[in-house]
Amino acid sequence: MVKAANWLTHLEYDLESPVWSHWVHFFAAHFQFVRYDERGCGLTQRDAGDLSFERWIEDLEAVIEAAGLEGPVALLGVSQGAATALAYAARHPERVSRVIVYGGYSQGWRVRGDPQGAKLYRSIADVIALGWDLENPVFRELFTKRFIPAGTPEQIAWFNDLCCKTVEAQTAARLLSARADVDLGPLISQVQVPVQVLHAAGDEVVPLAQGRGLAADLPNAEFVSLDSRNHILLKPEPAWSHFKEAVLDFMEQTPQRGETSDAALAGLSPREREILALICEAKSNPEIAKALGLSERTVRNHASNLFRKLGVRSRAEAILLRHGGSQP
């Protein structure tokens, strides 16, 4: 699997990142995972010249060629990397088996017919050019807090630091501006391989409608909506577990039962875990309510939520999942 470059990454820092490390570890655990930094960022040459969409496609072509990969490859496109991956798939159908898109779009802000959105984008680019390198991270947070609005202070602080470590102010502004001109145009109808389009329902950077529209325009696509506000899915949120399961299913890799159980259980709240533990002790809803000092209605609501998060339909299936067994 080859990941088309997206902003912001750094090949070294991402391995220990509270924002990106779980992405790298997940894909590396299941695939021969090839990634690279976007031109002008990370470990690439900083004084990059051409930052156009066409050059991004050429960079992906060069990386795949240099990697010497045999046979068709799967592509991963995150955010603006989605357009790059899809353009490559359209131009090189014999080299691609399938494409996974997350938080992607086929048209940048300047070509969407949304004057207000384009104005906001230009304003953010102007602020980045002026305040990106300042010690006070407030200008960078205009960018980072839109990407991970539900992030912890640690995650926000790390992302703020990454901004300075991976790209210089003027290049950052140029790259952000270049995003606005992305337009797949007729290429999108030429993508014949299977495509999985995943999108966070509350994404503030790329609206959900962009993901839905992208999936609708592709000849062979499936759409998966994820319950998150984050443009970059964070490890603790249930949407990350949903994302991993959907990806493995699309790639026809079935996770081991223990992996599925751990991922699903990690998405439960402390109260939901308490209730699940009592369910596993064969306690009834009235008994659970009495033990925890809750109303029966509250217990029912918590139970319904945890069943939904675990992807089960009954108490019996929840118990089997918690203990690593096979569901009926």
Side-chain angles (χ1 to χ4, degrees):
M1 178 173 289
V2 180
K3 176 179 174 289
N6 63 273
W7 198 32
L8 289 164
T9 63
H10 191 294
L11 289 179
E12 290 184 344
Y13 295 127
D14 290 352
L15 295 174
E16 299 178 356
S17 161
V19 176
W20 281 120
S21 62
H22 54 290
W23 285 75
V24 178
H25 295 318
F26 165 66
F27 283 103
H30 293 279
F31 309 99
Q32 179 185 353
F33 190 46
V34 178
R35 60 195 178 96
Y36 60 100
D37 286 326
E38 183 174 18
R39 62 174 46 234
C41 298
L43 297 180
T44 69
Q45 182 178 327
R46 293 300 176 91
D47 57 341
D50 186 358
L51 299 178
S52 66
F53 177 46
E54 184 63 32
R55 182 52 60 89
W56 301 341
I57 302 170
E58 293 174 2
D59 288 344
L60 177 57
E61 291 172 337
V63 167
I64 291 177
E65 182 67 24
L69 304 175
E70 297 182 6
V73 299
L75 297 177
L76 171 64
V78 176
S79 195
Q80 92 282 352
T84 306
L86 291 169
Y88 181 94
R91 294 181 180 182
H92 306 279
E94 76 288 350
R95 297 285 288 125
V96 180
S97 60
R98 58 192 67 197
V99 182
I100 296 170
V101 166
Y102 170 74
Y105 53 91
S106 61
Q107 291 184 314
W109 279 107
R110 242 190 301 268
V111 293
R112 289 179 191 171
D114 180 0
Q116 189 65 22
K119 184 177 180 181
L120 173 62
Y121 219 73
R122 286 195 300 271
S123 298
I124 293 175
D126 289 341
V127 168
I128 284 176
L130 294 171
W132 191 260
D133 293 334
L134 297 180
E135 184 176 349
N136 188 330
V138 64
F139 292 99
R140 296 190 295 279
E141 286 190 1
L142 180 63
F143 166 80
T144 57
K145 285 192 173 180
R146 293 178 70 238
F147 269 60
I148 49 173
T152 65
E154 177 198 8
Q155 290 164 333
I156 293 291
W158 185 91
F159 211 5
N160 288 337
D161 289 342
L162 174 68
C163 291
C164 292
K165 290 177 179 177
T166 193
V167 64
E168 297 172 356
Q170 291 304 315
T171 302
R174 289 175 59 207
L175 283 169
L176 191 62
S177 180
R179 298 306 191 240
D181 296 320
V182 168
D183 191 355
L184 276 176
L187 281 177
I188 195 168
S189 64
Q190 299 173 29
V191 180
Q192 298 300 318
V193 299
V195 181
Q196 182 181 53
V197 180
L198 305 104
H199 212 102
D203 193 335
E204 297 181 16
V205 176
V206 181
L208 179 66
Q210 288 295 312
R212 290 191 183 279
L214 182 60
D217 291 338
L218 286 162
N220 186 11
E222 65 175 48
F223 182 78
V224 180
S225 177
L226 302 167
D227 185 14
S228 176
R229 295 172 56 210
N230 294 313
H231 186 56
I232 304 173
L233 294 177
L234 301 175
K235 187 176 182 179
E237 58 182 326
W240 174 242
S241 295
H242 186 185
F243 173 89
K244 292 188 294 182
E245 292 166 4
V247 165
L248 293 179
D249 182 61
F250 178 70
M251 294 297 295
E252 299 179 348
Q253 289 195 22
T254 303
Q256 296 297 316
R257 168 55 54 186
E259 293 176 354
T260 304
S261 301
D262 291 344
L265 293 170
L268 299 182
S269 68
R271 178 65 79 187
E272 289 165 348
R273 293 187 189 192
E274 287 181 321
I275 290 174
L276 178 58
L278 292 172
I279 286 175
C280 291
E281 294 176 11
K283 300 289 187 182
S284 64
N285 282 352
E287 290 172 327
I288 294 173
K290 183 177 180 180
L292 299 179
L294 303 172
S295 69
E296 289 186 39
R297 180 177 180 180
T298 299
V299 171
R300 286 197 301 272
N301 289 339
H302 279 306
S304 296
N305 286 336
L306 74 87
F307 287 175
R308 175 179 56 79
K309 289 181 179 180
L310 295 177
V312 300
R313 296 165 295 178
S314 67
R315 285 171 163 248
E317 289 186 6
I319 292 169
L320 285 169
L321 181 66
R322 185 172 186 264
H323 292 293
S326 300
Q327 294 185 33

